[in-house]
Amino acid sequence: MSTKIKLGILGGGGDSLIGVLHRIASAMFDNYKIVGGVFNQYKEESIKFAQEIDIPTDRIYTDIDELIREELALPAEERMQVISVLTPNFLHYPMAKKLLEAGFNVICEKPLTTTYEEALTLKSIQQEKKTVFAVTHTYTGYPMVREIRSLVASGVLGKIQKVDVQYYQGWINPIIHDKEKRKSTWRLDPEKSGISCCMGDIGTHAFNMVEFTTGLKIKSVLADLNYLYEDNLMDIDGTVLLRFAENVKGVIRTSQIATGEENSLIVKIYGDKGGLKWEQENPNYVYHISEEGAMKVLKPGHAYNSEVSLGSTKLPPGHPEGIFDAMGNIYNGVAKAIRNENFDSAEFPTLLDGVRGMDFIEKTVKSHQEGNVWVTIDE
Amino acid sequence: MSTKIKLGILGGGGDSLIGVLHRIASAMFDNYKIVGGVFNQYKEESIKFAQEIDIPTDRIYTDIDELIREELALPAEERMQVISVLTPNFLHYPMAKKLLEAGFNVICEKPLTTTYEEALTLKSIQQEKKTVFAVTHTYTGYPMVREIRSLVASGVLGKIQKVDVQYYQGWINPIIHDKEKRKSTWRLDPEKSGISCCMGDIGTHAFNMVEFTTGLKIKSVLADLNYLYEDNLMDIDGTVLLRFAENVKGVIRTSQIATGEENSLIVKIYGDKGGLKWEQENPNYVYHISEEGAMKVLKPGHAYNSEVSLGSTKLPPGHPEGIFDAMGNIYNGVAKAIRNENFDSAEFPTLLDGVRGMDFIEKTVKSHQEGNVWVTIDE
Amino acid sequence: MSTKIKLGILGGGGDSLIGVLHRIASAMFDNYKIVGGVFNQYKEESIKFAQEIDIPTDRIYTDIDELIREELALPAEERMQVISVLTPNFLHYPMAKKLLEAGFNVICEKPLTTTYEEALTLKSIQQEKKTVFAVTHTYTGYPMVREIRSLVASGVLGKIQKVDVQYYQGWINPIIHDKEKRKSTWRLDPEKSGISCCMGDIGTHAFNMVEFTTGLKIKSVLADLNYLYEDNLMDIDGTVLLRFAENVKGVIRTSQIATGEENSLIVKIYGDKGGLKWEQENPNYVYHISEEGAMKVLKPGHAYNSEVSLGSTKLPPGHPEGIFDAMGNIYNGVAKAIRNENFDSAEFPTLLDGVRGMDFIEKTVKSHQEGNVWVTIDE
Amino acid sequence: MSTKIKLGILGGGGDSLIGVLHRIASAMFDNYKIVGGVFNQYKEESIKFAQEIDIPTDRIYTDIDELIREELALPAEERMQVISVLTPNFLHYPMAKKLLEAGFNVICEKPLTTTYEEALTLKSIQQEKKTVFAVTHTYTGYPMVREIRSLVASGVLGKIQKVDVQYYQGWINPIIHDKEKRKSTWRLDPEKSGISCCMGDIGTHAFNMVEFTTGLKIKSVLADLNYLYEDNLMDIDGTVLLRFAENVKGVIRTSQIATGEENSLIVKIYGDKGGLKWEQENPNYVYHISEEGAMKVLKPGHAYNSEVSLGSTKLPPGHPEGIFDAMGNIYNGVAKAIRNENFDSAEFPTLLDGVRGMDFIEKTVKSHQEGNVWVTIDE
């Protein structure tokens, strides 16, 4: 009998890119089997899509409520063991909430919710239910991002004293300068996208990357956002000053009007012994500098890598893996958690990471609106 | 009913890396379903592995003969539509031969065979049977390698006048200097690995890359191989001078004793209008230089890319894909061929590429053995 | 008779690196001749040094007062035409002031003065005297920095909407964590170095680079500096939020505790048509990205370069020039100004740039001290 | 009294780039003083040029014969101590011969001569006269090229087993395809340029770089040159297989039709412990790879650099120096030799290097003409 984990999926049907990403990721380590879900708001479409991707149609449901009801009615050993939530952002919260309350393990796309309050609600439910809950900050799945986390934890940088994360994209540039386009883009509509565009979409990734790699918690933020036009209601660019404990300072720089940039997420961390640098668009390189000795360029798959980094690489050195592989590593980590196997805390971001991310979004917007003042991030 | 292509697999069981690569690749575009095969020489192990990866065990066979017999006994619409051959190198030929003769489509790992003569035999069978036959020169699956082929074909380089391909690795270095190790490594044993190590293993990739990207045929070669030790029977390094038609010249440089190199396959092509450069370890960048104007750095997923390159990219620009994705693109191309859909000749290397590769190996060894003389590659 | 410009030098004797840099720079275009000066506070040492570098000793003076008196006593055509001020920082102001008042052209090392008020004084004198006055922001002498300025001015980026300049070094790290060392380092002593270390030393370079390349004026700043230790009186790290006119925003990031960084000055400018990026440690590359088309990598010496960039390159493409050449370009520009030849405003930074730089230092410190508030930069 | 070395120059007048390069180089360490020479074949022009660059005109001579006669007539302590030969290639030999015979130290631009025989003649004269004789293979002046030499000598690579040097340019491409142009270009005219274009111009640099960095001697060569057109008499591209002692092999790849390349000289050396890589267009980086541990990127000016590398760098790390600085380092080395100070053999290439280079040119052409056979390089 199959030992694969039974996976249900909400959303991600049709030609959804996020759907492709999650399906491939779930297949990468032979430990998931997609058994059903709700791919589309119309059941007929869901069934058609299930047939296309060759999933049995008997567990394709009308909606999440039916899914929960029917799955709970199944014997425990046949039941979906984890549900991936790939629906539009505003549905993340209500779906995650129902799934948590029903006791399911959840893999939720980011952003976790549309408000910090919702996120706190999920947190309190999960603290009671104790299910596995992953938030897919995909970039944490790269072996060399995990390597940075291991290196920092092992002390190669000494005491951290400076953190600088950039996340620059240019995709809103062709939209923002056209009055009609900027009114009709869902990402720029607060009704559909919450209170923030740039901070919500990529600022949270940067925030998560800071805390994931350094192991430090951001204590307070001072943000200057840019809306560029008076009639634009959403931030499309912003710089956030960061303060950590013990005089450690940093900066998060984000933009969606850095014209020509694709997906330029860059991490720079400096301690009293050296620095580490990484760029998402060349994810298989970590640059380690120090006062003494030459810069080292670390790559995946080597004996010198940490265990968690090595476990995130499938082929020998020199065979570049990419973002699908990163997501695959996250799914693999969740599988270990579901199976109660040992896993490293680096192997998937949790609900708590998602909660902190929602706090970050609200606090940066608040900082900006109140005149670029310092605002405290909750512990 | 499922529209997925029914895929059988020979070899690739246990913790075989090549098995992982092909399974993930086949899953990437939702167009294959693994229905059975022979994963291991012991049926019991095969069945156990099938269970592990959650494949039905009813079409796990004892050996290739049983597989062919039983599959042919099935109604055509249920039969395996393509078989992937992932067994040790010396089994490629006998298995591919049987499969071809029985009329199956084949995806064969490289090297195609152990001798050029065997390759010619396969060629003549396939010319009769007209099945789809792909040889997995994986690097041709990268979107930017396909982009180079498109760019050259479209004339951006003008008339080609110089080709230079490097394939440097260092993995044999720790073996070759130890007499015991070099005697006990299968890759250095002519009984197990044919007449060549370096040319056979990576020289063929370089050769294929030259012809794939330029569209030119190599006419003759002059090789100087290096065995380093008298008692070493296999080349572990070699430089091959190339001649094409019309005074076009080039060079293939290969080494497995380039200590510290991982998998450094580099392509440089120059025409009378400009040059193109690409490096496998950073596969998402193509460097286009010319006499006039600044160097351009092309990346995948952009409107300026060729159709076949764009079709080889799943996510928007800035989301790096890797070698699993490259192999996925080859499987996707084979799927189109099997379904009689339109496809570009760039979408998978064929048996003919494999045949030429075998000729290249034998001719370079001959050139070297006869005193570094020019030897003609068959047309 | 020599047509070379007669150059006097104050400071830069012995094994002073800055002395070497200015001497080589002045020699690069065969348009300066060092005729004398005051290399050292002891005349004897000055004369000895003059002999070492084979300068006639008849115009080696005891001090600046003697230099001015004696030079003014010479016939105009024999007189020093320009004086380079390479003395310790706190002497820049009094020396520049005397030279200006006496009507000399001046090349002054940065920082121009120790206070903004002093800088304003120099400005008012120079406005009356109308002499040539250059401040050696060396990095503006690189051909590709000048190319960026030309490209932005020509509109390739469209309207600027985001500016990001980094200047990270690590050299204070080994000093700052040792109580004794941080007390005894002159750069960290306000008595000797003015009110700021990091902003004064490298922040001004970053500020100058922003305004030089974009042609925009920074309107206001909000700074968060880092002193790391309570007993440390000088900033050694700081991030400065920038506001320009018309909703253009930016950031200057500086650090001297970015351990392992050497001299990492990085410029990123984004407009509504594209972006330009440059790194000081690889000064011969400009990266031009845009929404449409591939990234272009511009290099010096090409027909596509602007006139001022081409005039800043001595050899054909592919022959890398460096920082001595950059300083040589600045001296060359000053020579044109002295000779009343046509020159481009890019060819040397002026006293006004130095004045704005001093304002920037004081305003960032003020912003920090008043609680990270916005402070206006004077027009 | 000046302690500077009295330098005479032959050639390099007017707007000669090579003249600029040598003048700046000689000024870089304050140890040369240009006292006269023959800048032009017309004395009037020479004098005019001397005035422009502010050199006394009393030692500007009509020709080399007058120079030798008059200088020898001066007291030894006033006499030119070294003469730089910057004239057209075909004049290098007769001038160097006369200077050697008269007992002068010489700095000679490359190529040393137009034939190997001439080079041998110079060698035998110099062995008798024992003067200092430098050949300006400028690239050996880079601090990181010297670092490679030191690293190899110190054993970090173990025993060398593979050497690969590329020198690709594209400048002949726009000439070679036009029949008129290729007939009228002096570099392609054997009457003016000797027997080889590509090997003579850049192949020798590659050859010198191989021997300079590895300390090994090339024993034999097999070359395949490319002339591209029947009526073209000079090689414009060529690949040379190399054999050293003890089964060490290598390759030199050169081209002047690598369209779009600027001055791409690349060195790769592999031993049984690791590899070193360097690129002339980014001369301040050396990449050190090995089986164990991460790649190291070495830069100039660090405590970890060899003494000779450190002595070739003027400013602290992060301040890029370039090709003028490289030539300056060679002049500095020659100065030490002239002054009988200690110097490292890396500090300037000698007449013997030039002699070997001439042998290399003739042997590669011979190898090609005789049908791509192995030809021995003299010891």
Side-chain angles (χ1 to χ4, degrees), chain C residues 226-300:
Chain C
N226 201 346
Y227 296 70
L228 218 54
Y229 291 95
E230 296 301 316
D231 65 350
N232 170 34
L233 301 171
M234 302 282 270
D235 55 298
I236 51 175
D237 174 284
T239 304
V240 187
L241 304 179
L242 309 176
R243 287 189 179 168
F244 303 82
E246 298 177 49
N247 286 333
V248 181
K249 296 190 175 182
V251 62
I252 284 175
R253 301 168 288 122
T254 63
S255 189
Q256 295 167 320
I257 52 167
T259 312
E261 293 289 6
E262 298 179 356
N263 198 30
S264 179
L265 172 60
I266 298 177
V267 177
K268 301 179 184 182
I269 309 168
Y270 304 96
D272 59 13
K273 290 186 182 168
L276 289 168
K277 299 189 279 190
W278 176 84
E279 304 196 3
Q280 192 275 142
E281 296 191 13
N282 286 291
N284 294 307
Y285 297 82
V286 165
Y287 306 91
H288 178 199
I289 55 178
S290 66
E291 274 173 20
E292 290 161 24
M295 179 169 78
K296 289 181 191 167
V297 184
L298 292 86
K299 298 179 71 180

Side-chain angles (χ1 to χ4, degrees), chain B residues 3 30 42 81 91 103 116-117 124 133 190 221 235 312 346:
Chain B
T3 60
D30 292 310
Y42 305 105
Q81 292 166 274
L91 292 175
Y116 180 40
E117 195 181 355
S124 70
F133 196 114
V221 294
D235 55 297
S312 312

